[in-house]
Amino acid sequence: MFRLLLALTCALVCGATQAAKLDLDGVDRAQFSEGEPKDVDPMLIKAQILLDRARFSPGLIDGRLSDNFTKAVAAFQATNGLASDGKLTRETWDKLAATSVAPVLTTYEVTRKDVRSRFTRRIPTRMERMARLKRLGYRNLREQLAERFHVSQQLLTMLNPGARFKKIGTSLTVPYVGRSAQPPVAASIEVDKASRQIRVLDPSSNVLAVYPASIGGEEKPAPSGLAEVRHVVHNPTYYYDPKFAFKGIKTKRPFTIAAGPNNPVGSVWIDLSIESYGIHGTPDPGKIGTTFSHGCIRLTNWDAEDLATMVKPGAKVEFKGDTVQSESERSP
């Protein structure tokens, strides 16, 4: 009897583990189910990838519930005429699944170029010390590939247990983000300070994309009113002016930090007509939408790069609402 119970228990546990297995078929075949997932969930991975493809960015694809995911779902619902409560309902799931028929995961083979990339293995936290480096590249190949496929390093590792990331020819399971190769042209951008989102609009004010963002703070609030895009700089350097007086920076002299995806402004800078303000990437995509910036509008590198393909000089930028800051995020 004891052995029978043990066998049944094992079968149930193993069955549950198998049902939640993170692989190509398990995630691609995931279907909507009621209830709130407690851990990394294939259904959430699939939903996040589909939202990312449709340009309702959830930020970092990690297979977990988050504020960014909820806001992305709400934006998708509002644009598609659904009740925009941010809850992943059956109706929302069906509408989202209909946006793309391509598999949500694919395989990627590590190349010689990947392995031989110029990595910056040690990056100091203090900006003054960053200025001593010749490049702010990725720390390692895992970080580089995670950013390329919009996924957290943790989930990338979970999708590829035991994989040798540094070996040429290694086959990896990765999200197939696959945003359209021919991006639409943006007429204007709304920077919503209250919801910490950017909305990209066409000439008829239809939504082309929505991205989570870190926007301003007490130290340097985001501006209000109207601005416009002046120009786009890919692979920018970062110039620090002592008049910014950022906390933790003691030097009274200006300095420049070299280019690279781990530069303080990431891989792209979209310059605005308000002096010293712009929309840019970040070296820390996991913090987007959950922390505040030094006044500018900070996106994940991949969302900033996507936006850069849609905007041209002269595009209007409107700052809306007030920044909402919780007690835990206020400066001491």
Side-chain angles (χ1 to χ4, degrees):
M1 185 67 180
F2 174 75
R3 289 182 179 179
L4 178 60
L5 289 173
L6 184 62
L8 287 172
T9 301
C10 180
L12 288 171
V13 172
C14 292
T17 302
Q18 184 66 27
K21 189 175 181 181
L22 303 180
D23 59 16
L24 280 167
D25 290 337
V27 175
D28 197 55
R29 294 177 182 175
Q31 296 298 319
F32 175 77
S33 62
E34 299 284 353
E36 186 173 298
K38 301 299 182 184
D39 202 355
V40 174
D41 187 271
M43 179 186 71
L44 291 181
I45 296 172
K46 185 173 182 176
Q48 288 174 340
I49 294 172
L50 290 171
L51 285 166
D52 185 284
R53 265 189 216 166
R55 288 192 167 93
F56 292 88
S57 174
L60 204 60
I61 295 169
D62 61 4
R64 299 178 184 274
L65 289 175
S66 66
D67 287 343
N68 284 343
F69 175 71
T70 298
K71 288 187 285 188
V73 170
F76 177 83
Q77 290 169 328
T79 302
N80 286 274
L82 304 174
S84 55
D85 58 6
K87 296 180 181 179
L88 189 59
T89 61
R90 166 68 68 180
E91 187 178 18
T92 302
W93 174 269
D94 290 343
K95 182 79 72 171
L96 183 58
T99 62
S100 177
V101 296
V104 292
L105 293 181
T106 188
T107 55
Y108 176 80
E109 189 172 291
V110 175
T111 68
R112 185 180 302 275
K113 183 179 179 181
D114 292 331
V115 173
R116 294 184 175 179
S117 296
R118 294 170 56 199
F119 298 117
T120 308
R121 301 192 184 279
R122 295 183 180 180
I123 299 177
T125 56
R126 292 185 60 180
M127 294 176 70
E128 302 99 313
R129 293 181 179 176
M130 286 184 194
R132 301 173 188 174
L133 300 178
K134 294 182 179 180
R135 175 173 168 75
L136 275 293
Y138 294 110
R139 293 175 179 84
N140 51 56
L141 183 55
R142 194 182 306 253
E143 181 183 51
Q144 177 176 292
L145 293 176
E147 185 151 301
R148 184 181 302 174
F149 297 107
H150 310 179
V151 64
S152 71
Q153 292 187 58
Q154 181 188 30
L155 181 55
L156 181 62
T157 300
M158 294 175 70
L159 289 170
N160 299 280
R164 298 175 63 185
F165 282 80
K166 297 179 182 179
K167 183 181 178 181
I168 297 171
T170 294
S171 181
L172 300 174
T173 298
V174 298
Y176 178 46
V177 284
R179 291 173 177 173
S180 61
Q182 191 65 37
V185 177
S188 62
I189 299 169
E190 289 182 351
V191 180
D192 191 327
K193 292 186 280 186
S195 69
R196 303 188 204 181
Q197 286 181 307
I198 279 185
R199 288 184 287 272
V200 187
L201 309 176
D202 71 7
S204 299
S205 295
N206 297 312
V207 175
L208 300 175
V210 179
Y211 308 117
S214 291
I215 306 171
E218 287 188 340
E219 187 176 355
K220 188 178 180 184
S224 299
L226 297 173
E228 63 179 43
V229 172
R230 293 200 300 187
H231 57 269
V232 175
V233 180
H234 293 277
N235 205 31
T237 58
Y238 175 82
Y239 176 76
Y240 177 77
D241 190 326
K243 72 180 182 181
F244 296 159
F246 291 162
K247 289 182 180 178
I249 299 181
K250 299 178 180 180
T251 182
K252 301 301 181 183
R253 297 180 180 180
F255 57 83
T256 299
I257 297 177
N262 274 313
N263 175 293
V265 292
S267 58
V268 67
W269 170 268
I270 300 172
D271 196 44
L272 302 183
S273 55
I274 303 173
E275 185 181 1
S276 79
Y277 283 92
I279 303 171
H280 62 82
T282 181
D284 199 345
K287 292 183 177 180
I288 291 301
T290 65
T291 59
F292 291 88
S293 71
H294 285 130
C296 292
I297 304 92
R298 188 184 301 158
L299 310 177
T300 65
N301 276 338
W302 56 86
D303 285 340
E305 291 167 5
D306 191 50
L307 177 60
T309 66
M310 291 190 278
V311 297
K312 298 183 182 300
K316 303 301 179 185
V317 180
E318 181 180 4
F319 290 86
K320 303 183 71 174
D322 295 317
T323 300
V324 177
Q325 193 169 20
S326 68
E327 288 298 326
S328 62
E329 292 165 325
R330 295 184 189 280
S331 301

